[in-house]
Amino acid sequence: MITERNRASFDTKGLAEHLNGGREKLKRLGELADLLHQQDWGNKSQRYYLNRQDTYEGALKAALGIWDLIRKKVITMEDAMEARKLVDFPGGLELHIGMFIPTLLSQASPDQQAEWLPKALGLKLIGTYAQTELGHGTFVRGLQTTATYDPQSQEFVIHTPTLAATKWWPGGLGKTSTHVVAMARLFIKGKDYGPHSFVVPIRDMATHLPLPGIKVGDIGPKFGYNGVDNGFLSFNHVRVARENMLMRFSKVTEDGKYVPPPPSNQKASYATMVYVRATIVEGAGWALARSVTIAVRYAAVRRQTAAHAGELEVQVLDYQNTAADLLPLLAASYALIFMGKAGMAMYTEFEQDRDRGNFEKLPELHAVLSGMKAVSTTIASDGMEAARRACGGHGYSLLSGLPTTFTHYVQNVTWEGDNNVMLLQTARYLVKQLLAARAGKASGVGSADYTNNAEAELRQRCAVASSRDWLDPALQSAAFRHRSARLCVAVTDLLASASGGKVAFEGPAWNSNTVDLIRLARAHCYFVLHSTFADSVQRLSDEGTLPAPTIAALSKLVSLFALSTISREAGDLLEDGYMSGQQVEWARRQYYGVLRALRPDAVGLADAFGLSDYLLNSALGRADGDVYRALLAAAQASPLNTTEEGPAWDGVLKPLLKPRARL
Amino acid sequence: MITERNRASFDTKGLAEHLNGGREKLKRLGELADLLHQQDWGNKSQRYYLNRQDTYEGALKAALGIWDLIRKKVITMEDAMEARKLVDFPGGLELHIGMFIPTLLSQASPDQQAEWLPKALGLKLIGTYAQTELGHGTFVRGLQTTATYDPQSQEFVIHTPTLAATKWWPGGLGKTSTHVVAMARLFIKGKDYGPHSFVVPIRDMATHLPLPGIKVGDIGPKFGYNGVDNGFLSFNHVRVARENMLMRFSKVTEDGKYVPPPPSNQKASYATMVYVRATIVEGAGWALARSVTIAVRYAAVRRQTAAHAGELEVQVLDYQNTAADLLPLLAASYALIFMGKAGMAMYTEFEQDRDRGNFEKLPELHAVLSGMKAVSTTIASDGMEAARRACGGHGYSLLSGLPTTFTHYVQNVTWEGDNNVMLLQTARYLVKQLLAARAGKASGVGSADYTNNAEAELRQRCAVASSRDWLDPALQSAAFRHRSARLCVAVTDLLASASGGKVAFEGPAWNSNTVDLIRLARAHCYFVLHSTFADSVQRLSDEGTLPAPTIAALSKLVSLFALSTISREAGDLLEDGYMSGQQVEWARRQYYGVLRALRPDAVGLADAFGLSDYLLNSALGRADGDVYRALLAAAQASPLNTTEEGPAWDGVLKPLLKPRARL
């Protein structure tokens, strides 16, 4: 491992500091890891052996442990955010912290905040956010839970009219939360005002038993994330006071008059989504980085096959196919982290514009980050599983850290907007931009500006004239841009012809072309992802933020991201003649060349994520490379090994084998 | 669901009978499911809630329960094979049945069989097969465990010389097995004779404690398959009698003379591998069928988004992208099942040839099934996860059956030959065939016959002249064949130029071209998979085995398999000009057309696998479609719901929330 580290062409520690927000921040992460490791609830040595109940309890204790460290002023609130990630033990308080409190902050009136916020912040009540229903997810307007206003008692009657309307999924709902913010359709005098938010107490504060009319419980074990008690909830005509509807924006008066929200509300909620999705994109990069760190380190330690018995076997990282499995994932991790940081910067920029009343950039930002949420979480999920498989048998062991990292993460392709739905939002935006441009209206800004002259773009041809040319980020970017423009024109024409000229954004014609629409959105996101990565590295170079060898290594990653993608998806660029067979062949040869060039930097680029052994909790991914000793030690600690004869000896095996003389 | 079933254009029951080996066989499967469901150990209602120890014990009880039903003559041995699949609870006896007994049968001398077989068959001892080591897997010659012959005592001394030589992975080794067949390098008088097999007792038959010199235990929790106690094992100079070396083929005499195996031995072991891999290929089809059945049924039940609130939402199967996610997986399942059946028929044919001393077909059969093992298990694993994701949030719940089906299965990409290694075997064979053909020697038989005139094949062009032409299996097959031939020539030329003309099949030049080699092998396997599927359907039609509407539906699946692949991987066929952009566009339009045409048959084609609710054990995949009621019922039975207040109330939450008046 030391040999591998010495091969790196750049200062890995410097890059780790940059990615993690500076030298002090990285140092603090190390101190926090040491501190957490010493806490009962932060010690991860038993983590992979816990059953469901212990996982649930352990996760709660970890969250409360962090809370306690803040209270005792051992750590700051900012530390606590990092500590949650380092302890990596999501539990019953996730949505209290992540949704219940933020919803009160954004949607409750000042009076309501005065009532509930201190209790929520002091953990005197625990809340969650109940929107999704058993049979209704994505389509919020299709939710069936009702909140009917009774002007007599000035109460809302919250009710679950059908089995499929049972609330389903909210984290912490099962056994932890005492309150929920429930999304329900507001009815006043028989009229449906659509989904609104209501604070509903669901458990008795003295006994923690469900209140009358409430049926609540845990939805059962899941692929991962089992520390969280995702729950179900149904209401049987449960009454709450009028004041329990969150009334910062829309209101219901005592006599049952509905006051609609101001129109700017919609934009504010889009802005929140933009913020959340930028976080998800960077998070995708870090999640993938974690699996890739483990896999790259193990591929440097692991050896497989020698020409002759007795010879030292070959490091698996020296097989081209292993390098091709892992190094593009390394590049993707970097691309996503830089994309997330850029997305956050764009959000900050937008906030400044917004404060000047300028919402101009919001639609583009929202549209791109919707699709980017989908693309980033898919790249991360698929990449994590690919990294796991690249570790052979040991990747199948929980002790490698790889299976649980994946199973915890992969829900990201579904929650916060199903990935297909997200991509269709991006596609809708792009098609609209193209239609506007064709109608002669001012159109595409930012990444979608190709819609302004898409027809001209169709006539462009790839300018690469040698294998070396493919190392030019501008020529790489041109290819991604061309693909996106071509697919945009193609699917827009399809939609128009499917509905007699006028494009409809829902209904049968739309639903019958979603494959091509998703293909367009994905292509657009790859275009943005690549160009943002290339631009970020260029800026770091121009500003002298990082030394030249580091920039050189990052530039190779930009090329690797581009060329591995173009090689794999060459058909998209060959189909209309943009690229020739020779140009694809050059791209592939250059791709293999970059793999070779990056081989000495592989472990260094993994190290540069700066992920601690504490975070990784992986026998395979240890920084010191002493994997086999670690695997054996961890295995011996497994509960099945508590006794030498094992749990089935007395009850099952002994009666069968009937003790007799040794064979 | 009834509506969906009525839409099917063919007799689903008839197809189910055909796929499952006939009407009687399918009926018997149903009876077995009913029988098993009634057994304590066969009841699956608690399966998703078990912790590791209970899973281990439960799986052992299930295996012994089946054993007992055979003993009591309630079921036959043939029934038992099916019962193991239906109970679907792999445990500590898997390798006793699957490897220990078969190894005794194939490698033990008659005297050794007389000694050990009756005890093994009567479960008076439990064995496993210990080959893989902690740091050594694929490269058998690199194993480090030694067996040194001591002519004085006429014993072998079995020893683990390094930590990395610890035996690792054998199923049932951890806490169940009393004996192992250990692979160890045979040393006689200082000379290394390579890996040989030894029967070694590891546990005391009276106490089940490890014998002196033995360190053994469970390797800890895994992604899936946790009913199996995969184990570790190290030997500290453990002595076994000379008679414990399996001596049917190679022998060591009392005075320490080594008698090598007869040369035909190698061929016999290849034949065994062929048999095992044909089983894996068909198994991959059935494994995928299981997830696809669940996902297709749920996609027919699940509705998402209406144009207006209050309207019935759209069945998700009616979105083109959902159909494109699921129907090609349906096609792949069928392709793999037919491929497995064909592989088995080829094996049977080979057995007849072999009995006449003819081994001619073995190399091709072995080469194709190596790569096919890799391609089939990858298609199945990726497809299972894709099917899971297509189910949205509910696919993340263990109650859907989808996560555990995947985690149990996915180890198939690694065991019985790592997939990359398997594909490289296929590539090696193809390159050798091409080199032989170029040298003017008789070459490629069967699927590799294109190597005989590969250069001519390079000049071929796709003959498709309309979108409709793409429905012709011969034109589909020609495309797959062309791709394979072209990639074979290209990589062979690369290898030759990398090593100055003479192609080496190991070493740096080989290791640096494994990406293209794997690409070739994969392309070849897709060619074989498609043509075998098409030919199988054609034969069923010619022989009148299935009625015309069923043949029509299966033919659409053949086209779907071909066109979804060609659309996705068009670059491979555009790059050298074999196909034009127009032809790709036709392929894509026809692909979408077949998706539409198959939509009414979707549920019927899933039903036609004939998988019982008992096997599926899925709230989402129930034949009756009553998924939401089933999900809620299963959730309520989850152990976290044993008490209303939950397991963390007393110890964790109560002290925090400090009972007080209701808010």
Side-chain angles (χ1 to χ4, degrees):
Chain A
M1 213 56 164
I2 295 166
T3 319
E4 283 292 331
R5 295 217 160 89
N6 289 339
R7 294 174 73 179
S9 65
F10 67 99
D11 170 23
T12 57
K13 189 141 181 297
L15 182 53
E17 287 166 0
H18 175 77
L19 293 174
N20 284 279
R23 180 167 305 179
E24 282 311 307
K25 192 90 190 288
L26 186 62
K27 188 165 151 263
R28 185 63 186 152
L29 285 176
E31 292 164 358
L32 283 172
D34 290 342
L35 173 70
L36 294 165
H37 179 60
Q38 291 159 28
Q39 315 298 318
D40 276 351
W41 47 262
N43 185 312
K44 296 184 178 181
S45 61
Q46 296 298 306
R47 190 71 67 82
Y48 298 126
Y49 313 135
L50 302 179
N51 66 24
R52 177 81 206 285
Q53 290 89 319
D54 293 339
T55 303
Y56 166 64
E57 285 193 64
L60 262 185
K61 285 180 187 162
L64 296 176
I66 294 172
W67 207 281
D68 208 45
L69 289 178
I70 304 173
R71 214 176 44 78
K72 290 181 180 152
K73 301 197 195 299
V74 178
I75 62 173
T76 65
M77 192 61 88
E78 196 194 341
D79 286 339
M81 303 288 283
E82 297 301 337
R84 283 178 69 197
K85 290 186 211 161
L86 285 168
V87 171
D88 188 31
F89 207 178
L93 296 184
E94 292 305 306
L95 262 67
H96 179 72
I97 300 165
M99 285 296 291
F100 185 75
I101 293 176
T103 302
L104 291 180
L105 286 168
S106 65
Q107 295 185 38
S109 69
D111 286 353
Q112 291 176 321
Q113 291 191 2
E115 168 74 14
W116 289 312
L117 264 184
K119 288 174 187 156
L121 292 169
L123 281 184
K124 294 299 154 201
L125 63 81
I126 299 170
T128 184
Y129 183 83
Q131 175 171 312
T132 303
E133 297 174 355
L134 186 47
H136 306 275
T138 296
F139 185 56
V140 179
R141 286 177 297 157
L143 293 176
Q144 295 185 324
T145 304
T146 54
T148 309
Y149 188 62
D150 174 356
Q152 298 296 323
S153 62
Q154 301 190 6
E155 288 172 325
F156 293 102
V157 181
I158 315 283
H159 188 62
T160 305
T162 65
L163 179 81
T166 306
K167 294 292 181 189
W168 198 268
W169 279 118
L173 173 61
K175 293 291 163 183
T176 311
S177 296
T178 60
H179 289 65
V180 300
V181 168
M183 273 288 238
R185 265 150 73 178
L186 171 63
F187 280 83
I188 309 174
K189 295 171 198 158
K191 188 172 169 201
D192 181 354
Y193 290 90
H196 285 73
S197 304
F198 301 83
V199 174
V200 189
I202 56 168
R203 287 182 177 274
D204 186 293
M205 297 306 287
T207 63
H208 210 59
L209 295 176
L211 291 170
I214 297 288
K215 199 167 100 178
V216 63
D218 178 82
I219 61 165
K222 303 167 300 273
F223 204 12
Y225 229 64
N226 281 306
V228 178
D229 53 324
N230 297 84
F232 64 83
L233 169 66
S234 69
F235 305 96
N236 184 8
H237 298 97
V238 171
R239 288 178 168 262
V240 296
R242 188 183 64 89
E243 292 78 10
N244 283 33
M245 173 172 146
L246 292 181
M247 297 224 203
R248 178 162 175 190
F249 300 112
S250 38
K251 293 185 183 61
V252 173
T253 63
E254 293 181 9
D255 58 347
K257 241 181 53 194
Y258 180 73
V259 184
S264 67
N265 190 28
Q266 176 77 350
K267 279 181 188 161
S269 88
Y270 273 124
T272 308
M273 279 194 264
V274 165
Y275 176 84
V276 170
R277 284 173 194 161
T279 318
I280 290 179
V281 173
E282 185 170 346
W286 287 109
L288 180 54
R290 196 166 150 171
S291 291
V292 173
T293 299
I294 295 170
V296 166
R297 286 178 179 169
Y298 177 52
V301 170
R302 179 184 178 202
R303 292 173 177 275
Q304 193 171 282
T305 308
H308 307 283
E311 278 178 14
L312 196 58
E313 301 182 42
V314 178
Q315 282 176 286
V316 299
L317 208 42
D318 286 331
Y319 291 105
Q320 187 195 30
N321 60 297
T322 308
D325 282 345
L326 294 178
L327 302 188
L329 299 179
L330 209 47
S333 305
Y334 278 91
L336 292 171
I337 290 171
F338 281 110
M339 182 69 227
K341 289 183 191 297
M344 204 51 86
M346 287 187 268
Y347 176 78
T348 310
E349 223 173 276
F350 157 73
E351 275 192 319
Q352 290 161 2
D353 288 354
R354 181 189 59 188
D355 296 345
R356 291 191 299 269
N358 177 355
F359 285 84
E360 197 182 60
K361 285 179 187 155
L362 187 58
E364 145 102 7
L365 202 53
H366 175 256
V368 170
L369 282 171
S370 297
M372 201 60 83
K373 182 270 173 187
V375 165
S376 65
T377 58
T378 300
I379 289 176
S381 300
D382 293 349
M384 291 164 94
E385 173 62 5
R388 194 191 65 71
R389 290 192 202 171
C391 293
H394 293 318
Y396 193 69
S397 168
L398 292 197
L399 307 176
S400 71
L402 294 165
T404 45
T405 305
F406 172 72
T407 56
H408 280 214
Y409 184 77
V410 70
Q411 60 182 322
N412 276 281
V413 303
T414 307
W415 75 1
E416 284 298 334
D418 174 87
N419 276 2
N420 285 320
V421 175
M422 292 293 97
L423 287 164
L424 289 171
Q425 285 185 6
T426 304
R428 181 176 288 118
Y429 171 79
L430 294 169
V431 171
K432 280 188 176 166
Q433 293 301 309
L434 179 63
L435 290 172
R438 283 182 175 176
K441 291 180 205 145
S443 175
V445 292
S447 67
D449 68 354
Y450 59 75
T451 52
N452 290 325
N453 51 358
E455 273 77 9
E457 177 63 45
L458 296 197
R459 293 187 297 272
Q460 293 293 320
R461 290 297 171 261
C462 177
V464 164
S466 71
S467 184
R468 235 202 114 61
D469 275 358
W470 272 123
L471 293 177
D472 179 351
L475 290 173
Q476 295 162 8
S477 185
F480 283 110
R481 180 186 153 98
H482 177 83
R483 171 169 74 163
S484 197
R486 177 175 76 82
L487 293 176
C488 190
V489 171
V491 75
T492 303
D493 291 346
L494 268 177
L495 284 172
S497 78
S499 49
K502 172 111 183 67
V503 173
F505 292 90
E506 59 187 5
W510 179 264
N511 296 348
S512 304
N513 284 288
T514 52
V515 172
D516 285 336
L517 286 162
I518 286 171
R519 203 169 152 224
L520 158 62
R522 185 180 168 281
H524 183 79
C525 290
Y526 269 79
F527 163 52
V528 175
L529 193 48
H530 171 268
S531 59
T532 304
F533 187 16
D535 293 350
S536 301
V537 172
Q538 187 60 50
R539 191 167 320 111
L540 291 171
S541 174
D542 294 346
E543 294 169 356
T545 316
L546 291 170
T550 306
I551 296 294
L554 290 174
S555 299
K556 288 192 195 101
L557 288 177
V558 171
S559 290
L560 185 58
F561 180 76
L563 298 177
S564 59
T565 305
I566 291 172
S567 302
R568 188 181 59 235
E569 299 168 14
D572 289 350
L573 295 160
L574 288 161
E575 191 174 333
D576 71 333
Y578 174 77
M579 213 164 61
S580 68
Q582 175 65 68
Q583 286 168 323
V584 181
E585 181 60 20
W586 282 332
R588 191 170 289 118
R589 291 303 132 202
Q590 193 55 256
Y591 161 38
Y592 298 158
V594 176
L595 283 181
R596 270 194 308 279
L598 277 171
R599 167 65 187 87
D601 281 332
V603 168
L605 285 165
D607 285 348
F609 292 124
L611 303 177
S612 59
D613 279 348
Y614 177 72
L615 176 74
L616 297 176
N617 196 24
S618 164
L620 283 193
R622 299 163 60 92
D624 67 8
D626 194 8
V627 305
Y628 296 126
R629 200 173 307 278
L631 269 174
L632 186 58
Q636 285 173 295
S638 165
L640 221 55
N641 293 324
T642 306
T643 63
E644 280 289 357
E645 66 276 21
W649 170 241
D650 267 337
V652 186
L653 293 173
K654 198 169 169 183
L656 178 79
L657 294 167
K658 294 228 184 70
R660 55 174 58 197
R662 190 188 304 172
L663 191 79
Chain B
M1 213 55 165
I2 294 166
T3 318
E4 284 291 334
R5 294 216 162 89
N6 289 338
R7 296 174 72 178
S9 66
F10 66 98
D11 169 23
T12 55
K13 188 140 182 295
L15 181 52
E17 288 166 0
H18 174 76
L19 293 174
N20 285 279
R23 180 167 304 178
E24 282 311 307
K25 192 89 188 287
L26 185 62
K27 189 166 149 261
R28 185 65 187 153
L29 286 175
E31 292 163 359
L32 284 171
D34 291 340
L35 173 71
L36 294 166
H37 180 58
Q38 290 159 27
Q39 315 299 318
D40 277 351
W41 47 262
N43 185 311
K44 296 183 176 181
S45 61
Q46 294 299 306
R47 189 73 65 83
Y48 299 126
Y49 312 135
L50 302 180
N51 67 23
R52 176 79 205 286
Q53 288 90 319
D54 294 339
T55 303
Y56 165 63
E57 284 191 66
L60 262 184
K61 285 180 189 161
L64 297 176
I66 294 174
W67 207 281
D68 209 43
L69 288 179
I70 305 173
R71 213 176 44 79
K72 290 180 181 152
K73 301 200 196 300
V74 179
I75 62 174
T76 66
M77 191 61 87
E78 198 194 340
D79 287 338
M81 304 289 283
E82 297 301 335
R84 283 178 69 197
K85 289 186 212 160
L86 286 167
V87 172
D88 190 32
F89 207 179
L93 297 185
E94 292 303 306
L95 263 67
H96 179 71
I97 300 165
M99 285 295 291
F100 185 75
I101 293 175
T103 303
L104 291 180
L105 285 169
S106 65
Q107 295 184 37
S109 68
D111 286 352
Q112 291 175 320
Q113 292 191 2
E115 169 74 15
W116 289 310
L117 265 183
K119 289 174 186 159
L121 292 169
L123 280 182
K124 293 300 150 195
L125 63 82
I126 299 170
T128 184
Y129 183 84
Q131 174 171 313
T132 303
E133 297 173 356
L134 186 46
H136 306 276
T138 295
F139 185 54
V140 179
R141 285 178 298 159
L143 294 177
Q144 295 185 323
T145 304
T146 54
T148 308
Y149 188 62
D150 175 356
Q152 296 296 322
S153 63
Q154 300 189 7
E155 288 173 324
F156 292 101
V157 181
I158 315 283
H159 188 62
T160 304
T162 65
L163 179 80
T166 305
K167 292 293 177 188
W168 198 268
W169 279 117
L173 173 61
K175 294 290 163 183
T176 311
S177 296
T178 60
H179 289 67
V180 299
V181 168
M183 274 287 238
R185 263 149 76 179
L186 171 64
F187 280 83
I188 309 174
K189 293 170 196 157
K191 187 171 171 204
D192 182 353
Y193 289 90
H196 286 74
S197 304
F198 302 83
V199 174
V200 189
I202 57 168
R203 286 182 179 274
D204 186 295
M205 298 305 289
T207 63
H208 211 59
L209 295 176
L211 291 170
I214 298 289
K215 200 165 99 178
V216 64
D218 178 83
I219 61 166
K222 303 167 300 274
F223 204 11
Y225 229 63
N226 280 307
V228 179
D229 52 324
N230 297 84
F232 63 83
L233 171 66
S234 69
F235 304 97
N236 184 5
H237 298 98
V238 171
R239 288 179 169 261
V240 295
R242 188 182 63 90
E243 292 78 11
N244 282 35
M245 173 171 147
L246 292 182
M247 296 223 203
R248 178 163 174 190
F249 300 112
S250 37
K251 295 184 180 63
V252 173
T253 62
E254 292 182 9
D255 57 346
K257 239 176 60 192
Y258 180 72
V259 183
S264 67
N265 191 28
Q266 176 78 349
K267 280 180 191 162
S269 87
Y270 273 123
T272 307
M273 280 194 262
V274 165
Y275 176 83
V276 170
R277 284 171 194 161
T279 317
I280 291 179
V281 173
E282 185 170 347
W286 286 109
L288 180 55
R290 196 167 151 172
S291 292
V292 173
T293 298
I294 296 169
V296 166
R297 286 179 178 167
Y298 178 51
V301 170
R302 180 184 176 202
R303 291 173 178 274
Q304 193 171 282
T305 308
H308 307 283
E311 280 178 13
L312 196 59
E313 301 182 41
V314 178
Q315 281 177 287
V316 300
L317 208 42
D318 286 332
Y319 291 105
Q320 188 194 31
N321 60 297
T322 308
D325 283 345
L326 293 178
L327 302 189
L329 299 179
L330 210 47
S333 306
Y334 277 93
L336 292 171
I337 291 171
F338 281 110
M339 181 70 226
K341 289 184 191 297
M344 204 52 85
M346 287 187 267
Y347 176 77
T348 311
E349 222 173 277
F350 157 72
E351 276 191 320
Q352 289 161 0
D353 288 353
R354 182 189 57 189
D355 296 344
R356 291 191 298 268
N358 179 354
F359 285 84
E360 197 182 58
K361 286 179 186 154
L362 187 57
E364 146 101 8
L365 202 54
H366 175 255
V368 171
L369 283 171
S370 297
M372 201 60 82
K373 182 268 172 187
V375 165
S376 64
T377 57
T378 300
I379 289 176
S381 300
D382 292 349
M384 290 164 95
E385 173 61 7
R388 195 192 65 70
R389 290 190 201 171
C391 293
H394 293 319
Y396 193 66
S397 166
L398 292 197
L399 308 177
S400 70
L402 294 166
T404 46
T405 304
F406 171 71
T407 55
H408 279 214
Y409 185 77
V410 70
Q411 59 182 321
N412 276 282
V413 303
T414 307
W415 75 1
E416 284 298 333
D418 174 86
N419 276 1
N420 285 321
V421 175
M422 291 294 95
L423 287 164
L424 288 171
Q425 284 184 8
T426 304
R428 182 175 288 119
Y429 171 79
L430 294 169
V431 171
K432 280 189 177 168
Q433 294 301 309
L434 179 61
L435 289 173
R438 284 181 175 177
K441 289 180 208 148
S443 176
V445 292
S447 67
D449 68 353
Y450 58 74
T451 53
N452 290 324
N453 52 357
E455 272 76 9
E457 178 63 45
L458 296 198
R459 293 185 299 273
Q460 292 293 320
R461 290 296 171 262
C462 178
V464 163
S466 72
S467 186
R468 235 202 114 62
D469 276 358
W470 271 122
L471 293 176
D472 179 351
L475 290 173
Q476 297 161 5
S477 184
F480 284 111
R481 180 188 153 98
H482 177 84
R483 170 168 76 163
S484 197
R486 178 175 75 82
L487 294 175
C488 190
V489 171
V491 75
T492 303
D493 290 346
L494 269 177
L495 284 172
S497 79
S499 49
K502 170 111 184 65
V503 173
F505 292 90
E506 60 187 6
W510 179 266
N511 295 348
S512 305
N513 284 289
T514 52
V515 172
D516 285 336
L517 285 163
I518 286 171
R519 201 169 154 226
L520 158 63
R522 187 179 167 281
H524 183 78
C525 290
Y526 268 79
F527 163 52
V528 175
L529 193 48
H530 170 268
S531 59
T532 304
F533 187 16
D535 293 349
S536 301
V537 173
Q538 188 58 52
R539 192 166 318 113
L540 291 172
S541 174
D542 294 347
E543 294 170 357
T545 315
L546 293 169
T550 307
I551 296 294
L554 290 173
S555 299
K556 290 192 195 101
L557 289 177
V558 172
S559 289
L560 184 58
F561 180 76
L563 298 177
S564 59
T565 305
I566 290 171
S567 301
R568 185 179 63 234
E569 300 169 13
D572 290 349
L573 294 160
L574 288 162
E575 189 173 334
D576 70 334
Y578 174 78
M579 214 164 58
S580 69
Q582 176 64 68
Q583 287 168 322
V584 180
E585 182 59 21
W586 282 332
R588 192 171 290 118
R589 291 303 132 201
Q590 193 54 257
Y591 161 39
Y592 298 157
V594 176
L595 284 181
R596 271 194 308 279
L598 277 171
R599 166 65 188 88
D601 281 332
V603 168
L605 285 165
D607 285 347
F609 292 125
L611 303 176
S612 58
D613 279 350
Y614 176 73
L615 177 74
L616 297 176
N617 196 25
S618 164
L620 283 193
R622 298 163 60 91
D624 66 9
D626 193 9
V627 305
Y628 297 126
R629 198 171 309 276
L631 270 174
L632 186 58
Q636 286 173 294
S638 164
L640 222 57
N641 294 324
T642 306
T643 64
E644 280 288 359
E645 66 275 23
W649 170 243
D650 267 337
V652 185
L653 293 173
K654 196 169 171 182
L656 178 79
L657 294 167
K658 293 227 184 72
R660 55 176 57 197
R662 192 186 302 172
L663 192 77

